[in-house]
Amino acid sequence: MDVLLIYIDSGGPSRYLRYLEVGLCHQVLADGQLNTTSVLLHPDRRPEEVLAIFQQHPARLVGFFFDEFNAPATFAFASQLHTSFPDTPLCAFGIYPALAPDRIALSKDFDYLVIGEGEIALLELANQTIRGGDVKQIKNLWFRQDKAMSRNPLRPLQDNLDLLPYPNRSLFEQEPQRVPGNDRYLYIAASRGCPQDCIFCYSPVLKKAYEGKGNYYRMRSPQNLAGEILGELRRFPYAGVNFVDEMFPTDKTWLKGLVQKLGSGAKVNFQATVAAERIDAEVLDLLKAAGCERLQFGVETGNEAFRKRLATRNLSNDRLRAVFAAARERGIAVVAKNMIGLPLESEPLIQETLTFNQVLNPDEIVCTAYQPIEGSSLYQYSKDKQYVTPVPQAGPDSTLPDFTSLSLKLPDVSPEIIRNYLYRLHFMNVVEKLKQVPKSQGYMDFLAELPRAKFHMRYAAAVDVGRTKRGDTDFAYICIETGSDCRFAVNLRAQSLLRFSLYMPPASFQRVARRQASVVAEVLLVRNGEEVPLYYRAITQNSKAIAEKWQDCMVAIPEDAGEAEILFRASCGDARDIRAVVFWGMPSLSEQQALMANNEAVAHVKADYEAQLATKDQAISSLESQLRESRERELEAIKERDAKAARVGEMHVRILELEKFIADNKPYLDELEKARADKEAGIAGKLKGLFKKTE
């Protein structure tokens, strides 16, 4: 191959935007007639696999995409590849080279750095390195020369985004499936850059670097954007569209154009991130007309003054309340995105965030602990104050960050306080999501009782709820990560039956299978401190079926009626570093008598079975009758075909006979033809003479 592009997925909040950025570079290279491959690395795909592939199919240039969080993992793999293949040139591109170029330049593994928006620079670099040309004049490029880095200036920003191709989507196809069923979304970007100047973000750094080089925030044309959306929807039946822009465009003229272009194609349901201060009633109406069903808003914090300091936004709480209410009046769901654990934040400020989310009452609450981005203003402040701690890793053999851990040690707020508020905000979100899930049948619906359950969790979101479809039916489930459990107080009725469906998403199953581990999903009945196993399932590399479809389970409760607890648990045994998720679908308790050891229950089950059997027998008889009729029609068709073939054969014989007759009598026929011609010539001569006499 000519170029290999590698992205190590850190699992950060902008991961799908990064997939598109890598995909755009891939497509630009491919359109330049360069044989290009993009590879996605994640916790379930180890670098050793890529090294083995590279050894069989070496590339002439390798590009490593750095996002804002994957630098340690990318440095580690680049060093590994450079050691194994020292003659292969390596290039760094993406967000991080613009945030911390000097840190990458200090690494001896990289020959080139592409700074800023790099698809054109990467194409020029690939062409020159592959053909042995000169790279010294390529803008946006830093290159190693005489053991030092030469630094070329940035080129102007690409103002017309329509000139860029649609991105290659191979990274999306390599991502392990994390949700059940066909809940696959089309991720797409309508713009580049961000109009905001939040001090916790990288955008102000890039904006300053490109000062005087053009507009930092740019939009694709509605026609170009709609063309990609409708084309992708024809290619695959996506559940919806998710715009991953840093800030979705809210220009009214642009939105009117998008409504017009999308209106001519299939119905598009989408979600996007917008700024509340840029929203009014007309914008909401246009968004709704274009197909918007969900909007995400950066609330950040519940304190107005602190929000203005963090995000440099004059966004009041009253304004947020009004926009949320107006969106919900139009049937648009609203998501509040928050951060806690910020520098200069106190516990009363965190409490304001929690209280304000209760007032907003959004359809979903997203709250994360602040993760500092190297190069940003808030990171530098935290570093100067010595708040920054070593980046927690996702596991003992991982170089990827653990986003469930805290990255700052603050003087005024302890880690325990921050974790407590993360739990509280997470369960506020769970309660909101439970309002939207279908109800289970039976006298106890465990999903509905989740807010009153007791939990043991590895981190705040280790127990969650989700929704999907089973066929055409809405379906809800409890997600439990390994090392966590849920304990429900129940008042058992006599002869109760526990029902649930079990599933492990392919991403988790691949992790278990790859490490040859075992995840245990179990249900226990707890009474007077004694645990009685009700259900036990060891999920290993041989349990592939559980990652392909829901496994329906029914368990008879072997206890008399009375108060007890039912415990749902997912565990990993000794391999505690393996983080996998088990989904428990629509768990419930009912009083059905199936599987109970008494004559009435057996008779009921037998009657139900016989009724089902009779129905199936009728269906089989109907199918057999249809099969007989079909075979009879087939025989008739064969007979008719044979008769036609016989007639065709007879006609062919007669044609041959006629051809033989003509061949045998050819001399006579020739004489007849000659006599006819002479006769016609004689008549013509006489007529000609007659006319001459008349003249």
Side-chain angles (χ1 to χ4, degrees):
M1 74 185 86
D2 293 322
V3 183
L4 173 64
L5 302 180
I6 298 174
Y7 176 47
I8 302 178
D9 185 358
S10 64
S14 301
R15 64 195 309 181
Y16 295 121
L17 179 58
R18 307 304 168 222
Y19 285 17
L20 292 173
E21 289 169 350
V22 176
L24 181 58
C25 290
H26 180 130
Q27 195 59 49
V28 168
L29 291 167
D31 289 350
Q33 306 304 310
L34 294 172
N35 184 3
T36 305
T37 299
S38 293
V39 171
L40 178 69
L41 287 181
H42 44 76
D44 306 314
R45 190 178 190 187
R46 310 303 297 171
E48 290 76 13
E49 296 180 40
V50 179
L51 289 174
I53 296 172
F54 190 87
Q55 190 165 12
Q56 295 178 355
H57 306 285
R60 301 164 78 178
L61 175 68
V62 177
F64 281 90
F65 186 91
F66 282 80
D67 67 16
E68 60 271 43
F69 295 115
N70 73 351
T74 306
F75 277 125
F77 184 37
S79 177
Q80 194 175 354
L81 191 145
H82 181 66
T83 301
S84 302
F85 305 96
D87 295 329
T88 301
L90 305 187
C91 170
F93 70 110
I95 294 292
Y96 191 73
L99 300 177
D102 292 322
R103 184 180 172 193
I104 301 177
L106 289 174
S107 168
K108 303 302 181 183
D109 298 315
F110 289 96
D111 304 279
Y112 307 104
L113 279 72
V114 173
I115 309 295
E117 296 179 2
E119 54 274 343
I120 304 303
L122 196 58
L123 174 63
E124 293 174 353
L125 172 63
N127 280 324
Q128 294 302 324
T129 54
I130 289 171
R131 297 168 186 171
D134 186 7
V135 302
K136 295 179 181 178
Q137 303 304 316
I138 298 176
K139 292 184 177 180
N140 291 58
L141 184 70
W142 289 20
F143 57 95
R144 201 171 296 282
Q145 187 177 36
D146 298 329
K147 298 183 180 181
M149 273 288 178
S150 295
R151 311 180 180 198
N152 286 343
L154 295 175
R155 70 188 69 215
L157 288 165
Q158 176 61 261
D159 186 57
N160 186 356
L161 300 184
D162 291 1
L163 297 178
L164 299 173
Y166 296 155
N168 176 280
R169 293 185 172 271
S170 57
L171 290 190
F172 290 98
E173 296 167 3
Q174 297 174 48
E175 184 196 23
Q177 183 181 342
R178 290 178 169 81
V179 291
N182 295 317
D183 298 349
R184 182 175 167 186
Y185 284 83
L186 171 63
Y187 295 96
I188 201 163
S191 62
R192 268 193 173 182
C194 180
Q196 308 295 105
D197 290 298
C198 305
I199 64 172
F200 54 80
C201 185
Y202 56 80
S203 283
V205 181
L206 299 182
K207 199 178 295 186
K208 183 178 179 181
Y210 272 110
E211 194 171 3
K213 299 289 184 179
N215 294 321
Y216 181 67
Y217 183 65
R218 292 141 290 154
M219 303 174 291
R220 297 166 61 181
S221 71
Q223 181 176 359
N224 179 268
L225 179 61
E228 183 180 9
I229 293 172
L230 298 177
E232 286 296 322
L233 291 179
R234 285 191 293 268
R235 188 179 67 87
F236 185 86
Y238 292 96
V241 176
N242 192 334
F243 285 103
V244 294
D245 305 66
E246 294 168 10
M247 195 63 65
F248 187 73
T250 51
D251 177 81
K252 294 176 183 178
T253 302
W254 186 89
L255 284 172
K256 289 174 182 177
L258 186 64
V259 170
Q260 181 182 7
K261 297 302 178 183
L262 289 180
S264 60
K267 179 176 173 55
V268 177
N269 295 319
F270 69 84
Q271 55 183 315
T273 298
V274 294
E277 62 267 39
R278 298 172 183 269
I279 298 292
D280 60 21
E282 185 180 359
V283 169
L284 287 172
D285 289 337
L286 290 168
L287 286 167
K288 182 64 177 178
C292 181
E293 59 180 16
R294 196 174 192 83
L295 286 175
Q296 302 181 50
F297 295 90
V299 174
E300 317 306 358
T301 177
N303 182 277
E304 292 182 6
F306 195 42
R307 184 185 305 122
K308 186 173 183 179
R309 189 172 184 179
L310 282 174
T312 64
R313 297 163 62 185
N314 189 20
L315 177 59
S316 69
N317 288 352
D318 287 342
R319 174 73 171 172
L320 276 166
R321 282 194 293 267
V323 170
F324 273 48
R328 298 179 83 168
E329 285 174 4
R330 290 162 173 80
I332 300 175
V334 289
V335 180
K337 299 171 71 175
N338 307 267
M339 285 189 298
I340 63 173
L342 292 147
L344 303 175
E345 191 173 39
S346 61
E347 185 176 357
L349 286 176
I350 299 177
Q351 179 61 47
E352 280 192 61
T353 299
L354 186 145
T355 303
F356 184 53
N357 277 270
Q358 291 173 327
V359 172
L360 283 176
N361 190 28
D363 298 282
E364 183 178 351
I365 299 170
V366 177
C367 185
T368 58
Y370 166 65
Q371 300 291 335
I373 297 175
E374 189 172 349
S376 66
S377 300
L378 199 56
Y379 169 85
Q380 193 58 48
Y381 174 85
S382 302
K383 185 178 179 182
D384 293 342
K385 292 290 185 179
Q386 298 182 341
Y387 296 160
V388 179
T389 60
V391 178
Q393 304 303 305
D397 60 346
S398 174
T399 51
L400 290 171
D402 181 3
F403 290 108
T404 66
S405 300
L406 305 180
S407 300
L408 297 184
K409 186 176 181 180
L410 301 175
D412 300 325
V413 186
S414 68
E416 291 72 22
I417 289 174
I418 295 172
R419 291 192 186 97
N420 178 52
Y421 277 98
L422 286 172
Y423 280 107
R424 293 172 65 183
L425 282 157
H426 172 67
F427 277 97
M428 283 172 57
N429 181 46
V430 168
V431 170
E432 289 302 320
K433 290 198 286 187
L434 286 172
K435 296 176 182 177
Q436 307 164 38
V437 304
K439 303 300 181 185
S440 297
Q441 295 181 350
Y443 69 82
M444 179 165 180
D445 180 349
F446 287 93
L447 277 158
E449 292 299 314
L450 195 61
R452 288 168 286 282
K454 298 177 182 178
F455 303 94
H456 171 73
M457 297 185 292
R458 293 177 60 162
Y459 63 97
V463 175
D464 206 343
V465 297
R467 288 188 303 163
T468 185
K469 289 274 190 181
R470 287 191 74 179
D472 296 326
T473 305
D474 288 330
F475 193 77
Y477 52 88
I478 302 174
C479 320
I480 303 179
E481 188 170 308
T482 48
S484 307
D485 59 56
C486 300
R487 188 184 296 255
F488 297 85
V490 298
N491 189 3
L492 289 173
R493 301 180 185 179
Q495 299 178 339
S496 292
L497 185 69
L498 172 65
R499 293 174 178 265
F500 59 88
S501 300
L502 203 65
Y503 179 82
M504 176 177 279
S508 291
F509 176 74
Q510 290 173 19
R511 188 171 305 142
V512 171
R514 193 174 299 275
R515 301 192 184 185
Q516 297 182 343
S518 174
V519 168
V520 174
E522 56 186 332
V523 185
L524 302 106
L525 180 68
V526 183
R527 180 175 280 169
N528 299 324
E530 182 182 354
E531 294 184 351
V532 178
L534 296 178
Y535 177 86
Y536 180 95
R537 174 74 180 270
I539 302 169
T540 68
Q541 58 185 339
N542 300 319
S543 309
K544 189 176 180 181
I546 200 169
E548 294 175 339
K549 64 178 182 179
W550 290 93
Q551 308 291 305
D552 295 325
C553 307
M554 290 190 297
V555 181
I557 306 295
E559 294 285 327
D560 296 332
E563 294 182 355
E565 291 180 322
I566 288 183
L567 178 72
F568 294 83
R569 176 189 294 160
S571 58
C572 284
D574 294 334
R576 298 183 184 277
D577 61 309
I578 296 178
R579 295 170 65 169
V581 181
V582 177
F583 292 171
W584 309 79
M586 304 295 285
S588 66
L589 284 171
S590 63
E591 294 179 284
Q592 296 184 40
Q593 302 300 310
L595 305 181
M596 299 302 293
N598 59 65
N599 293 334
E600 183 182 352
V602 171
H604 174 76
V605 173
K606 184 177 179 181
D608 183 57
Y609 173 77
E610 289 176 348
Q612 293 181 28
L613 189 62
T615 302
K616 291 179 179 178
D617 286 341
Q618 291 178 0
I620 291 171
S621 298
S622 175
L623 288 172
E624 287 177 343
S625 176
Q626 294 176 24
L627 181 61
R628 284 194 298 271
E629 293 176 1
S630 177
R631 285 177 176 171
E632 289 173 359
R633 289 195 296 270
E634 182 183 8
L635 290 173
E636 291 176 0
I638 290 172
K639 289 179 181 178
E640 185 178 353
R641 182 201 64 191
D642 292 343
K644 288 181 179 179
R647 289 196 295 273
V648 169
E650 292 173 0
M651 293 177 66
H652 185 62
V653 170
R654 294 194 60 185
I655 290 170
L656 292 175
E657 290 175 348
L658 286 171
E659 289 177 346
K660 185 176 183 304
F661 175 80
I662 292 171
D664 292 344
N665 293 279
K666 191 173 186 307
Y668 303 107
L669 293 173
D670 290 344
E671 289 180 6
L672 286 172
E673 180 64 25
K674 185 175 181 302
R676 185 186 62 76
D678 292 343
K679 184 176 179 182
E680 289 179 354
I683 293 172
K686 289 180 180 180
L687 288 172
K688 186 176 181 182
L690 181 61
F691 282 116
K692 283 183 179 180
K693 290 178 182 179
T694 305
E695 293 173 359

